[in-house]
Amino acid sequence: MKTDLILTDKTLQLYRYPAASQHKSEQAWDAADEYLLACLSESEPSQTQPLWIFNDDCGALGCALSQFHPNWINDSFVSRLACQQNLQCNDIDPSRIVFFDSLSLPDTPPHLVLIKIPKTLALLEYQLWQLQSSVTPDTRIIAAGKVTQIHTSTLALFEKYLGPVTTSLARKKARLIYCQPQTHQSQPCPYPSSWKMPQREWLIQNHSNVFSRQQLDIGARFMLEHLPQEPVDTAIDLGCGNGVLGMALLESGIAQHVCFADESYMAVASARLNVSHNLSAAISQCEFRVSDCLSQILPRKTHLILCNPPFHQQQRITDHIAWQMFKQAKDALHRGGELRIIGNRHLGYHHKLKRLFGGYHQVAANNKFSILSAIKR
């Protein structure tokens, strides 16, 4: 497992979060990080002028540039935890970095903006829209990503929202984008996007980094057809996304109180927005929490947990998130409480549930998904 990022003036020990779950074939930075930092070593940022960093997956950029007291902006709470973990691993004072979520920006205009191209192009579009009102013609903007992430459409977004761009040569399958902002740019914000939910007459609104922004995804649709029927006092919509599963529990009266939890700030904000708009009378029965699975919610107990576990984190495929969700769900459930999950059939979640709970029940299945139920004995 390679953990040392070697720079011209320092060596950093970096891990994905949590460090104990990092596979030996993975590392906490990529060629785009290295290319960006090499570029900056030739033209070092100012110690006194504001530096903004977007989408720093595990804190490689934040740690490497911590002496410049950067503003660090990300939609992922897990990425924030990774950055904080790596600051600690390298004995860097955490107060050197000011953390912001994806829906807020610093007040002071930036002198230099560094952007890691995110997996979701819509998130990049929203961030470029955000920057319109903050940058000046003197602001330097440098973005970095894998060659496979940078297309004509990517460059067109920079030009639409900020100004002209040029690109670097490729290095280790990574490329840089240089953008010169123009002050006359004032494009409207396309987010949150919205759509009508069939059968329920809900208007569902989604911030830019929320899964299935244009329609109800097929997994959630199948899950909605097979919700528990026994009323419970409390439930958690774990990995809530836009919140449609938890909203269905509230509308049907299955749960009297629902906690919407996700590691994405935009997901939690979308869930709050959707409950407020469609079930305003139930807002007092809701709680909205940004959390690494259930880490920020335990040791609370609940009666029901609904979950559609992700099998990726940022750009990588992983099953440690599902494991963490299932283990923490068992800890969070009252005796007799239920964890109900949906997943692609090939992922084999039934093995995990049997190992953790001692058994499971298949509620429903089709040619793509299985819905499984496990009861805490």
Side-chain angles (χ1 to χ4, degrees), residues 9-41:
D9 60 339
K10 63 173 75 76
T11 297
L12 294 171
Q13 196 170 60
L14 301 172
Y15 301 91
R16 306 198 71 87
Y17 182 88
S21 297
Q22 179 168 312
H23 191 272
K24 62 182 180 181
S25 65
E26 297 173 333
Q27 61 186 34
W29 72 94
D30 59 20
D33 291 312
E34 292 181 304
Y35 202 168
L36 195 48
L37 291 170
C39 171
L40 293 178
S41 69

Side-chain angles (χ1 to χ4, degrees), residues 108-286:
T108 306
H111 178 71
L112 173 61
V113 177
L114 306 179
I115 303 172
K116 284 291 296 295
I117 301 296
K119 179 180 179 181
T120 306
L121 197 62
L123 175 59
L124 175 65
E125 183 177 20
Y126 177 76
Q127 291 172 335
L128 298 179
W129 172 84
Q130 281 182 306
L131 284 168
Q132 281 185 144
S133 59
S134 299
V135 297
T136 72
D138 296 325
T139 303
R140 292 173 61 201
I141 299 175
I142 310 173
K146 297 176 182 176
V147 169
T148 54
Q149 292 179 284
I150 299 175
H151 310 283
T152 303
S153 57
T154 315
L155 304 180
L157 285 178
F158 279 86
E159 293 179 337
K160 176 181 178 179
Y161 289 98
L162 294 176
V165 297
T166 57
T167 59
S168 72
L169 297 174
R171 181 189 296 178
K172 294 183 180 179
K173 300 182 180 180
R175 194 184 299 278
L176 302 181
I177 301 171
Y178 304 96
C179 180
Q180 179 59 53
Q182 306 290 311
T183 55
H184 65 270
Q185 303 289 80
S186 58
Q187 296 291 334
C189 182
Y191 305 100
S193 56
S194 62
W195 45 270
K196 281 281 189 180
M197 184 170 168
Q199 288 84 46
R200 293 182 183 267
E201 296 303 313
W202 290 345
L203 179 70
I204 301 299
Q205 301 179 72
N206 298 267
H207 286 287
S208 61
N209 199 37
V210 179
F211 178 68
S212 195
R213 294 183 309 281
Q214 305 301 325
Q215 60 185 357
L216 184 65
D217 72 273
I218 55 176
R221 181 181 293 115
F222 191 45
M223 188 72 147
L224 286 169
E225 296 170 359
H226 299 282
L227 293 175
Q229 297 302 307
E230 290 294 323
V232 295
D233 289 336
T234 60
I236 297 175
D237 184 352
L238 177 56
C240 64
N242 56 29
V244 295
L245 296 181
M247 289 168 62
L249 294 178
L250 288 167
E251 185 186 56
S252 63
I254 295 171
Q256 296 304 306
H257 181 277
V258 175
C259 176
F260 296 83
D262 204 292
E263 74 97 24
S264 161
Y265 292 93
M266 285 187 171
V268 174
S270 298
R272 183 189 293 273
L273 194 61
N274 289 323
V275 174
S276 299
H277 184 83
N278 297 289
L279 301 173
S280 57
I283 194 71
S284 62
Q285 299 166 245
C286 301

Side-chain angles (χ1 to χ4, degrees), residues 293-349:
C293 298
L294 292 171
S295 298
Q296 282 63 48
I297 296 172
L298 288 167
R300 176 192 314 186
K301 297 291 185 181
T302 192
H303 300 91
L304 171 66
I305 298 174
L306 298 184
C307 182
N308 181 1
F311 52 89
H312 57 82
Q313 185 180 57
Q314 307 301 340
Q315 308 284 355
R316 65 180 183 135
I317 304 296
T318 178
D319 71 344
H320 90 267
I321 301 173
W323 263 116
Q324 182 178 343
M325 284 180 161
F326 299 164
K327 289 177 181 177
Q328 292 184 335
K330 183 181 178 184
D331 292 338
L333 286 169
H334 289 292
R335 185 174 300 174
E338 178 186 4
L339 169 65
R340 184 167 296 200
I341 69 165
I342 183 169
N344 294 79
R345 296 181 66 171
H346 71 273
L347 294 174
Y349 288 151

